[in-house]
Amino acid sequence: MMNTYFQLGQYVDAELVARKIIEMENIPEDKREVALKRISESIYKNAEKLEQEENYVEAGYEYLRVFRDATGDVQFVDLALLKAGAAFDKAEQYNKAIEAYYLLADNFPKSKYAVPALEAAAQDYKILEDYVKVAETFEDIYKRFPEKKEAEIALYNSSYYYAEAKDWQNAIRINELYVQRYPDSPDSKDLYFENAKYYLKLDNLESANEIYRQFAVKFPNDPRVVEAYYQRGKY
């Protein structure tokens, strides 16, 4: 009956029957394992069904159940959490989506979906116009996965959104880290120059002038040297 319900797409009923099976006494272990696996599969398939029916909030919560209620040896919990976040995004439930994405990254750091989940969380914070959180999330990607190819762009994005949030101190900190970590990147020179502007916004004229001075020495042929000399004379 359990398998019949499942094949008919009656996943709620399939889960209920499977749960009754595992509660039975003296059930053979192989049948118990099949029932445990069927519970997780039924939850996941029911979530997919709800999503196809455009019941995105219900689908999101059902995908979350794969993480919270799944039984047996389940290989798709990380994917379920990614889909939970995506379903909540479709429902414009961005905070719930962020929660799902972070559940994935925190509990399955080795998953191939971990970085995409955090990138999606950053995009949700962007929609919410919480630019400090966007910056922090991109910085989190760099901290968690410093050796992945996404780390460099994440650090660059963190700098950009700290600046968008007018958090000059953290923008300076991230720029310094980027220059230190990726000295050969073409963007390092740009971020180094930007720090002078951020120091000016903090009324730290001494640090700004020092960057302008060093920039002119290190990159004498850069067209911004004219601006560097001008700014030094101005302040």
Side-chain angles (χ1 to χ4, degrees):
M1 184 179 294
M2 174 185 69
N3 290 330
T4 300
Y5 280 136
F6 189 85
Q7 291 166 2
L8 290 173
Q10 296 176 230
Y11 303 117
V12 174
D13 292 327
E15 180 190 351
L16 289 173
V17 174
R19 290 191 180 280
K20 289 181 179 179
I21 290 173
I22 64 173
E23 291 174 358
M24 296 171 60
E25 295 183 1
N26 301 320
I27 182 174
E29 189 60 29
D30 59 335
K31 291 186 178 180
R32 176 181 172 81
E33 289 298 323
V34 170
L36 287 170
K37 183 178 180 182
R38 187 61 82 200
I39 289 171
S40 303
E41 292 170 339
S42 297
I43 297 170
Y44 185 89
K45 295 297 290 185
N46 192 51
E48 284 189 326
K49 182 178 179 181
L50 290 167
E51 187 176 9
Q52 290 166 2
E53 294 169 351
E54 299 184 358
N55 295 321
Y56 297 125
V57 173
E58 292 180 49
Y61 281 110
E62 193 74 349
Y63 280 125
L64 284 178
R65 284 189 61 222
V66 177
F67 170 70
R68 293 169 177 162
D69 298 345
T71 56
D73 184 17
V74 184
Q75 303 296 320
F76 47 83
V77 178
D78 54 345
L79 178 58
L81 288 172
L82 187 71
K83 288 194 168 188
F88 285 128
D89 278 337
K90 290 176 183 177
E92 299 182 355
Q93 299 288 316
Y94 300 116
N95 286 313
K96 290 301 299 182
I98 291 166
E99 178 184 336
Y101 292 136
Y102 263 93
L103 279 174
L104 195 168
D106 290 341
N107 290 278
F108 303 94
K110 295 182 180 181
S111 168
K112 64 181 180 180
Y113 304 118
V115 172
L118 291 178
E119 290 174 335
Q123 292 304 314
D124 285 341
Y125 280 127
K126 183 179 176 182
I127 293 170
L128 295 171
E129 298 184 347
D130 190 339
Y131 297 125
V132 169
K133 283 292 187 183
V134 177
E136 289 175 346
T137 304
F138 278 121
E139 183 179 0
D140 198 19
I141 293 172
Y142 170 79
K143 287 180 176 178
R144 291 175 186 239
F145 310 102
E147 303 306 320
K148 286 187 175 289
K149 60 182 177 63
E150 294 90 349
E152 181 177 351
I153 187 63
L155 199 60
Y156 183 92
N157 286 338
S158 179
S159 164
Y160 177 85
Y161 283 103
Y162 275 129
E164 283 290 293
K166 295 181 171 56
D167 187 343
W168 311 122
Q169 199 66 58
N170 273 318
I172 290 168
R173 177 179 60 82
I174 293 297
N175 285 357
E176 289 176 345
L177 178 59
Y178 187 97
V179 171
Q180 177 186 353
R181 184 70 173 81
Y182 306 106
D184 297 327
S185 168
D187 293 319
S188 285
K189 183 167 62 171
D190 297 336
L191 297 184
Y192 181 67
F193 192 81
E194 286 297 307
N195 270 0
K197 298 178 182 179
Y198 299 158
Y199 275 123
L200 290 177
K201 292 181 181 295
L202 293 170
D203 293 323
N204 188 337
L205 306 186
E206 181 179 352
S207 294
N209 269 322
E210 180 60 19
I211 288 178
Y212 285 133
R213 184 190 70 79
Q214 291 184 13
F215 189 88
V217 172
K218 291 180 179 180
F219 311 106
N221 297 320
D222 191 286
R224 285 170 293 188
V225 167
V226 175
E227 180 182 351
Y229 278 123
Y230 171 77
Q231 293 291 357
R232 287 195 70 199
K234 184 177 178 181
Y235 293 101

